[in-house]
Amino acid sequence: MTRSAAHAQSTNSVLMIRPGRFYPNPETAADNAFQRNADRGSNALTIMARKEFDAAVQTLREAGINVHVFEDTAEPEKPDAVFPNNWISTHHDGRIALFPMYSVLRRRERRRDILEALRKHYQVTEVIDYSPFEDQGCCLEGTGSLVLDHVNRIAYVSLSNRSNPKVIQHFADDFSYEPVTFTSIDSNGQPIYHTNVMMCIGTAFAMLGLEMIPNKVERQRVRAGLEKTGKEIVELSADQIANFAGNAIELHNNFGEKLLVLSNRADHALT
C-alpha cells in the first residue's frame, strides 16, 4: 500500500448494522440533547428505521460505495445497534479498535462474529480492545468521540461523559494521532456528547460549529489546526448543528469520486 493510499482521508467501504430494534435509549437521554422522546411505539419506530436503513444502503451502493451489511441479533435487545462506529473503528494498517461505551445497553453491541467476518474480507493485523476502561468509568465512543484527520494524524475530540482524556491518550499513542481536545456546548449549556455531531473533516475541508466552543483559546487552537493543515473551514450555526449538518462523512466511490454523505435533514439545513 502506498503512503497516499494508506493515509487517504476517505474510504470506499462502510460497515452498517440493520437494526433489529430501534427506539430512544433511556440510558443515553440525560446527556444527549439531540435525542427526543418518541411519539410512536418501538415496533413502529423499528419498521421506519429499517426502511430508512435499506434506502440508505441502496443509495450508497448506487453511488459506488461498498457496503458491508450485518443484521442486528434479536437478543440481547440493542436499540442503538444501527450506530456501530461508536464501538468499532477500522484502520488502513489492518488494525481494529474496540471502544468503551457509556451506556451499559450499548456495550452489548460489540460482536466477535463481525470481527471474524471482516477477517474474511480484509487483512486484520491486530485488534486493540479499549473496552476494559469501562471498569474504570472511562469511555471513548469510537468515531463519535474521535473526528480523525487521517492525513495529518490529528484527532479532534470534544470532551464529555463519552470521551475521556485517559482513553483518548491511549488511542492517540497506539494509532499515532495528535489529540486536540476542547469542550463544545449545546443549546442547553451541556457538553455536546459526541464530537461528530458538531464536526466533520474531509480531504480539503472541515465543517464544524466553532461558535459552540465557548473557550476562546480552545476555539482558536481548533481553527489554527485546521488552517495549518490546509482545510477550508465551513462554519456551521447552532441551528444547522441541531439539524445534524455536522454529522456527515466523506467517502469516495469505486471511480475515485469524493462524496459527502449526510441526511436529508442536514442537506436541507445547509441549503
Side-chain angles (χ1 to χ4, degrees):
M1 182 178 290
T2 65
R3 180 174 177 82
S4 60
H7 294 283
Q9 179 63 28
S10 59
T11 180
N12 65 349
S13 301
V14 294
L15 181 159
M16 297 177 66
I17 310 292
R18 190 170 189 267
R21 298 290 289 170
F22 184 80
Y23 54 86
N25 182 345
E27 294 182 356
T28 59
D31 69 339
N32 181 354
F34 296 82
Q35 183 172 315
R36 298 287 184 267
N37 291 326
D39 58 359
R40 62 197 72 195
S42 61
N43 288 338
L45 285 174
T46 299
I47 291 171
M48 289 179 60
R50 287 174 179 165
K51 287 182 178 178
E52 291 194 11
F53 178 93
D54 293 340
V57 170
Q58 181 178 350
T59 299
L60 288 169
R61 286 176 171 165
E62 289 176 350
I65 302 298
N66 302 317
V67 184
H68 299 285
V69 174
F70 295 89
E71 289 285 342
D72 183 22
T73 53
E75 296 293 337
E77 200 166 283
K78 303 174 290 298
D80 293 315
V82 74
F83 306 115
N85 68 301
N86 296 149
W87 67 264
I88 185 172
S89 67
T90 58
H91 298 264
H92 70 87
D93 59 1
R95 289 188 293 171
I96 290 176
L98 304 180
F99 293 96
M101 307 287 282
Y102 176 70
S103 163
V104 175
L105 273 176
R106 297 214 60 191
R107 296 171 189 176
R108 304 171 175 178
E109 296 173 28
R110 291 189 294 261
R111 289 170 50 185
R112 293 290 169 180
D113 63 307
I114 291 179
L115 298 182
E116 294 309 311
L118 291 176
R119 291 182 191 275
K120 296 178 181 179
H121 293 278
Y122 302 96
Q123 184 177 353
V124 176
T125 57
E126 184 181 10
V127 176
I128 300 179
D129 187 357
Y130 299 106
S131 64
F133 279 104
E134 291 167 351
D135 296 334
Q136 304 175 35
C138 300
C139 303
L140 184 67
E141 296 194 334
T143 55
S145 296
L146 300 155
V147 172
L148 301 174
D149 181 342
H150 298 294
V151 176
N152 298 290
R153 314 306 292 171
I154 301 172
Y156 293 92
V157 191
S158 182
L159 299 175
S160 71
N161 291 337
R162 321 284 187 95
S163 304
N164 180 273
K166 181 191 296 187
V167 195
I168 293 167
Q169 193 60 57
H170 274 271
F171 173 87
D173 291 343
D174 289 339
F175 286 89
S176 300
Y177 282 87
E178 175 192 351
V180 174
T181 60
F182 55 92
T183 299
S184 57
I185 301 299
D186 64 28
S187 58
N188 298 319
Q190 300 299 315
I192 289 180
Y193 75 109
H194 275 164
T195 317
N196 77 335
V197 303
M198 57 80 65
M199 185 177 194
C200 164
I201 289 183
T203 300
F205 69 90
M207 299 164 51
L208 73 160
L210 277 170
E211 68 178 54
M212 306 183 84
I213 305 175
N215 184 290
K216 292 181 179 179
V217 174
E218 292 183 345
R219 189 189 316 138
Q220 181 54 33
R221 185 166 68 244
V222 171
R223 180 188 291 276
L226 295 170
E227 290 176 343
K228 182 179 179 180
T229 53
K231 304 297 184 189
E232 178 183 354
I233 296 175
V234 180
E235 293 201 39
L236 302 176
S237 68
D239 182 67
Q240 288 173 318
I241 295 292
N243 284 285
F244 304 103
N247 204 336
I249 184 172
E250 180 189 277
L251 302 175
H252 65 264
N253 63 19
N254 294 324
F255 307 104
E257 299 168 325
K258 292 184 175 63
L259 309 172
L260 181 63
V261 180
L262 69 173
S263 67
N264 286 331
R265 182 171 171 179
D267 184 38
H268 293 153
L270 290 171
T271 55

Short mmCIF file of all heavy atoms in Angstrom, two decimals, residues 11 41 57 76 90 96-97 111 118 131 133 144 151 154-155 163 171 186 191 218 226-227 232 237-238 258 269:
data_model
loop_
_atom_site.label_atom_id
_atom_site.label_comp_id
_atom_site.label_asym_id
_atom_site.label_seq_id
_atom_site.Cartn_x
_atom_site.Cartn_y
_atom_site.Cartn_z
N THR A 11 -12.78 6.62 2.70
CA THR A 11 -12.79 5.20 2.35
C THR A 11 -13.89 4.94 1.33
O THR A 11 -14.79 5.76 1.17
CB THR A 11 -13.03 4.33 3.60
OG1 THR A 11 -13.03 2.95 3.23
CG2 THR A 11 -14.37 4.65 4.25
N GLY A 41 -44.75 3.94 19.10
CA GLY A 41 -44.20 2.78 19.77
C GLY A 41 -42.94 2.25 19.12
O GLY A 41 -42.60 2.60 17.99
N VAL A 57 -28.68 2.16 2.32
CA VAL A 57 -27.77 1.16 1.74
C VAL A 57 -27.87 1.19 0.22
O VAL A 57 -26.85 1.18 -0.49
CB VAL A 57 -28.08 -0.25 2.29
CG1 VAL A 57 -27.31 -1.31 1.51
CG2 VAL A 57 -27.73 -0.33 3.77
N PRO A 76 -29.15 -10.09 22.80
CA PRO A 76 -29.96 -9.18 23.61
C PRO A 76 -30.40 -7.96 22.81
O PRO A 76 -29.78 -7.61 21.81
CB PRO A 76 -29.01 -8.78 24.74
CG PRO A 76 -27.66 -8.85 24.11
CD PRO A 76 -27.72 -10.01 23.15
N THR A 90 -12.00 0.83 12.06
CA THR A 90 -11.04 0.07 11.26
C THR A 90 -10.02 1.04 10.68
O THR A 90 -10.34 2.19 10.38
CB THR A 90 -11.76 -0.68 10.13
OG1 THR A 90 -12.46 0.26 9.30
CG2 THR A 90 -12.75 -1.69 10.69
N ILE A 96 -7.86 -2.94 14.11
CA ILE A 96 -9.23 -2.62 14.51
C ILE A 96 -9.21 -2.20 15.97
O ILE A 96 -8.52 -2.82 16.79
CB ILE A 96 -10.16 -3.84 14.31
CG1 ILE A 96 -10.37 -4.11 12.82
CG2 ILE A 96 -11.50 -3.63 15.01
CD1 ILE A 96 -11.20 -5.36 12.53
N ALA A 97 -9.96 -1.15 16.29
CA ALA A 97 -10.09 -0.71 17.68
C ALA A 97 -11.51 -0.98 18.16
O ALA A 97 -12.48 -0.75 17.43
CB ALA A 97 -9.76 0.77 17.81
N ARG A 111 -19.55 -7.23 18.83
CA ARG A 111 -19.80 -8.60 18.34
C ARG A 111 -18.56 -9.19 17.71
O ARG A 111 -18.01 -8.65 16.74
CB ARG A 111 -20.95 -8.58 17.32
CG ARG A 111 -22.30 -8.31 17.94
CD ARG A 111 -23.37 -8.05 16.89
NE ARG A 111 -23.41 -9.06 15.85
CZ ARG A 111 -24.20 -8.99 14.77
NH1 ARG A 111 -25.00 -7.94 14.61
NH2 ARG A 111 -24.17 -9.95 13.86
N LEU A 118 -15.09 -9.66 9.09
CA LEU A 118 -14.17 -8.71 8.49
C LEU A 118 -12.84 -9.37 8.13
O LEU A 118 -12.21 -9.01 7.13
CB LEU A 118 -13.93 -7.53 9.44
CG LEU A 118 -15.12 -6.59 9.66
CD1 LEU A 118 -14.78 -5.52 10.69
CD2 LEU A 118 -15.56 -5.94 8.36
N SER A 131 -12.19 -1.68 25.69
CA SER A 131 -13.40 -1.82 26.50
C SER A 131 -13.14 -2.04 27.99
O SER A 131 -13.99 -1.68 28.81
CB SER A 131 -14.29 -2.94 25.94
OG SER A 131 -13.65 -4.20 26.02
N PHE A 133 -11.59 -0.29 29.90
CA PHE A 133 -11.67 1.02 30.56
C PHE A 133 -13.07 1.27 31.14
O PHE A 133 -13.23 2.14 32.00
CB PHE A 133 -11.31 2.14 29.58
CG PHE A 133 -9.83 2.35 29.41
CD1 PHE A 133 -9.18 1.88 28.27
CD2 PHE A 133 -9.08 2.99 30.38
CE1 PHE A 133 -7.81 2.07 28.11
CE2 PHE A 133 -7.71 3.18 30.23
CZ PHE A 133 -7.07 2.71 29.09
N GLY A 144 -17.57 8.51 16.97
CA GLY A 144 -18.49 9.51 17.50
C GLY A 144 -17.69 10.50 18.33
O GLY A 144 -17.84 11.71 18.21
N VAL A 151 -4.93 12.10 7.29
CA VAL A 151 -3.77 12.53 6.52
C VAL A 151 -2.74 13.20 7.42
O VAL A 151 -1.54 12.92 7.35
CB VAL A 151 -4.19 13.47 5.38
CG1 VAL A 151 -2.96 13.99 4.64
CG2 VAL A 151 -5.14 12.76 4.43
N ILE A 154 -4.27 13.88 13.17
CA ILE A 154 -4.81 14.68 14.26
C ILE A 154 -6.16 14.12 14.66
O ILE A 154 -7.00 13.82 13.79
CB ILE A 154 -4.96 16.16 13.85
CG1 ILE A 154 -3.61 16.75 13.44
CG2 ILE A 154 -5.56 16.98 15.00
CD1 ILE A 154 -3.70 18.15 12.86
N ALA A 155 -6.39 13.97 15.96
CA ALA A 155 -7.67 13.51 16.49
C ALA A 155 -8.33 14.66 17.23
O ALA A 155 -7.84 15.10 18.28
CB ALA A 155 -7.47 12.32 17.42
N SER A 163 -16.21 10.79 26.22
CA SER A 163 -14.86 10.98 25.66
C SER A 163 -13.90 11.34 26.78
O SER A 163 -13.74 12.52 27.14
CB SER A 163 -14.88 12.09 24.59
OG SER A 163 -15.82 11.78 23.58
N PHE A 171 -5.48 5.86 22.86
CA PHE A 171 -5.74 5.70 21.43
C PHE A 171 -4.73 6.48 20.60
O PHE A 171 -4.18 5.97 19.62
CB PHE A 171 -7.16 6.16 21.09
CG PHE A 171 -7.44 6.18 19.61
CD1 PHE A 171 -7.89 5.05 18.96
CD2 PHE A 171 -7.23 7.34 18.86
CE1 PHE A 171 -8.12 5.05 17.58
CE2 PHE A 171 -7.45 7.36 17.49
CZ PHE A 171 -7.90 6.21 16.85
N ASP A 186 -23.90 22.58 24.03
CA ASP A 186 -25.15 22.60 23.27
C ASP A 186 -26.04 23.75 23.72
O ASP A 186 -25.66 24.56 24.59
CB ASP A 186 -25.87 21.25 23.37
CG ASP A 186 -26.33 20.91 24.79
OD1 ASP A 186 -26.59 21.83 25.58
OD2 ASP A 186 -26.43 19.70 25.10
N PRO A 191 -22.23 19.89 27.80
CA PRO A 191 -21.23 19.44 26.81
C PRO A 191 -21.88 18.59 25.72
O PRO A 191 -22.71 17.72 26.01
CB PRO A 191 -20.25 18.61 27.65
CG PRO A 191 -20.40 19.14 29.04
CD PRO A 191 -21.85 19.51 29.17
N GLU A 218 -9.37 27.50 23.22
CA GLU A 218 -9.66 26.21 22.58
C GLU A 218 -10.19 26.41 21.17
O GLU A 218 -9.80 25.69 20.24
CB GLU A 218 -10.68 25.43 23.41
CG GLU A 218 -10.15 24.95 24.75
CD GLU A 218 -11.16 24.13 25.52
OE1 GLU A 218 -12.36 24.15 25.16
OE2 GLU A 218 -10.76 23.45 26.48
N LEU A 226 -6.82 23.44 11.90
CA LEU A 226 -7.45 23.20 10.61
C LEU A 226 -6.81 24.05 9.51
O LEU A 226 -6.57 23.58 8.40
CB LEU A 226 -8.95 23.49 10.71
CG LEU A 226 -9.74 22.56 11.63
CD1 LEU A 226 -11.15 23.09 11.85
CD2 LEU A 226 -9.78 21.14 11.07
N GLU A 227 -6.54 25.31 9.84
CA GLU A 227 -5.92 26.19 8.84
C GLU A 227 -4.50 25.74 8.50
O GLU A 227 -4.10 25.77 7.34
CB GLU A 227 -5.92 27.63 9.37
CG GLU A 227 -7.31 28.25 9.44
CD GLU A 227 -7.30 29.65 10.04
OE1 GLU A 227 -6.28 30.01 10.69
OE2 GLU A 227 -8.29 30.38 9.87
N GLU A 232 -10.32 23.99 4.23
CA GLU A 232 -11.28 25.08 4.07
C GLU A 232 -12.33 24.92 5.17
O GLU A 232 -12.98 23.88 5.26
CB GLU A 232 -11.95 25.03 2.71
CG GLU A 232 -13.00 26.11 2.51
CD GLU A 232 -13.72 26.02 1.18
OE1 GLU A 232 -13.33 25.17 0.35
OE2 GLU A 232 -14.69 26.78 0.99
N SER A 237 -23.83 26.90 11.97
CA SER A 237 -24.54 27.56 13.06
C SER A 237 -25.08 26.51 14.04
O SER A 237 -25.16 25.32 13.72
CB SER A 237 -25.71 28.38 12.51
OG SER A 237 -26.70 27.52 11.96
N ALA A 238 -25.48 26.97 15.22
CA ALA A 238 -26.07 26.06 16.20
C ALA A 238 -27.33 25.42 15.64
O ALA A 238 -27.61 24.24 15.91
CB ALA A 238 -26.36 26.81 17.49
N LYS A 258 -15.07 11.76 -4.81
CA LYS A 258 -15.35 12.02 -3.40
C LYS A 258 -16.82 12.38 -3.22
O LYS A 258 -17.39 13.13 -4.02
CB LYS A 258 -14.45 13.13 -2.87
CG LYS A 258 -12.98 12.73 -2.78
CD LYS A 258 -12.15 13.83 -2.17
CE LYS A 258 -10.71 13.38 -1.98
NZ LYS A 258 -10.05 13.06 -3.27
N ALA A 269 -30.70 21.77 5.88
CA ALA A 269 -30.18 22.80 6.78
C ALA A 269 -29.01 23.57 6.17
O ALA A 269 -28.74 24.71 6.55
CB ALA A 269 -29.73 22.16 8.10
#
